[in-house]
Amino acid sequence: MLVPLVKYNTDADIIFAVLDLLYRIKLSFLNHLLQINQFPLGIHAAWKSASQYNIPNQHLADWLLHTGSLTERLQALTNKFEVKVLGQATIDADQSEQAALVDYHKHRWQIREVILYGDGKPWVFARSVLPEHLCKTTWATLGNQPLGQRIFNDNKFVRSEFVITQLDNNPIAGLAIDPPSPAAINALWGRRSAFKIEDWHLLVAEVFLPDCPSYISDPAFGKISNVIVK
């Protein structure tokens, strides 16, 4: 860190300047720790086949089991679609994710977590387990672009069946999301599927957050569906 040279008149000025510099360094370090602690958030849930859940309505079931591009579906419902990358790094996947990837122990992997926003509201929290090789080659310039856009523009990808989950906690609740969601439902729903392209596999999980249109059964009136934990 380069500190500009300033002429101080007294010893007190020098002490004050040093203390101020130390405070700024400490503040920067704490902010850095906060960013580290926010990622990865993870999705702590039990994943099961759709037949093992009583999905409360057809509208929600359609969102959970829709095989098309979630990114394109969300983009069609908003004037402003955004992707905020919470983090991406070479770290271990959780036990459930490792078990879902048949070649997990053969390669190095990266975890990528993002929030998908519609008109400024957090709609979806997505967590992906990606082969590091693809992250450094095919997706080296991914940045804050939606991963789904890359996947669904490549017809070589093959998708597995979905497994789904119910969450009684919001995975992004600890983040300083502005503005906070006013929506209140009994549980959140999520889905996960594996993709295969040539010899590579990857895993994508998506949690529909409280403001997500997946819970709006009547778009004309903005009525939130009655989500019930079983």
Side-chain angles (χ1 to χ4, degrees):
M1 178 183 296
L2 296 178
V3 180
L5 294 176
V6 178
K7 183 177 180 180
Y8 298 102
N9 296 322
T10 66
D11 290 342
D13 290 336
I14 296 174
I15 293 173
F16 177 82
V18 170
L19 291 175
D20 181 65
L21 177 60
L22 290 175
Y23 172 78
R24 293 177 183 274
I25 293 173
K26 178 183 177 181
L27 186 62
S28 176
F29 178 71
L30 290 175
N31 286 335
H32 179 63
L33 284 180
L34 180 61
Q35 292 175 358
I36 292 175
N37 290 335
Q38 288 179 340
F39 172 81
L41 298 177
I43 301 173
H44 308 291
W47 300 94
K48 302 177 183 178
S49 65
S51 62
Q52 294 178 275
Y53 281 103
N54 180 19
I55 303 175
N57 58 70
Q58 184 57 44
H59 175 79
L60 178 60
D62 179 65
W63 276 83
L64 288 169
L65 304 177
H66 179 66
T67 57
S69 170
L70 177 62
T71 298
E72 292 181 0
R73 188 170 192 177
L74 294 172
Q75 287 174 325
L77 297 173
T78 179
N79 295 319
K80 185 179 180 182
F81 179 81
E82 298 175 279
V83 179
K84 178 182 178 181
V85 180
L86 299 178
Q88 181 171 336
T90 303
I91 52 180
D92 290 335
D94 65 33
Q95 292 298 317
S96 174
E97 292 165 337
Q98 294 183 27
L101 290 164
V102 296
D103 56 350
Y104 180 79
H105 296 290
K106 296 181 181 179
H107 308 292
R108 291 172 60 87
W109 302 82
Q110 288 194 7
I111 302 295
R112 174 182 168 91
E113 293 183 345
V114 305
I115 299 176
L116 308 181
Y117 285 83
D119 290 331
K121 296 180 180 180
W123 278 0
V124 174
F125 169 67
R127 174 180 165 97
S128 305
V129 186
L130 309 172
E132 187 174 70
H133 173 77
L134 292 182
C135 294
K136 291 183 175 181
T137 54
T138 307
W139 297 328
T141 60
L142 183 59
N144 63 351
Q145 299 175 43
L147 176 65
Q149 204 166 55
R150 296 288 187 97
I151 291 176
F152 284 94
N153 285 337
D154 190 335
N155 57 17
K156 291 182 290 185
F157 275 97
V158 179
R159 187 178 209 164
S160 72
E161 291 186 2
F162 287 108
V163 290
I164 65 175
T165 192
Q166 285 180 297
L167 297 167
D168 57 7
N169 66 300
N170 188 331
I172 69 167
L175 301 180
I177 299 299
D178 186 27
S181 170
I185 57 177
N186 295 340
L188 300 180
W189 289 78
R191 65 183 196 169
R192 189 173 79 181
S193 60
F195 290 85
K196 184 178 186 296
I197 179 171
E198 298 175 350
D199 295 329
W200 300 101
H201 297 81
L202 57 136
L203 202 62
V204 178
E206 297 142 338
V207 175
F208 300 141
L209 300 174
D211 287 306
C212 184
S214 59
Y215 303 115
I216 301 174
S217 57
D218 187 350
F221 299 100
K223 182 180 178 181
I224 297 177
S225 61
N226 183 25
V227 181
I228 302 173
V229 179
K230 296 292 182 180

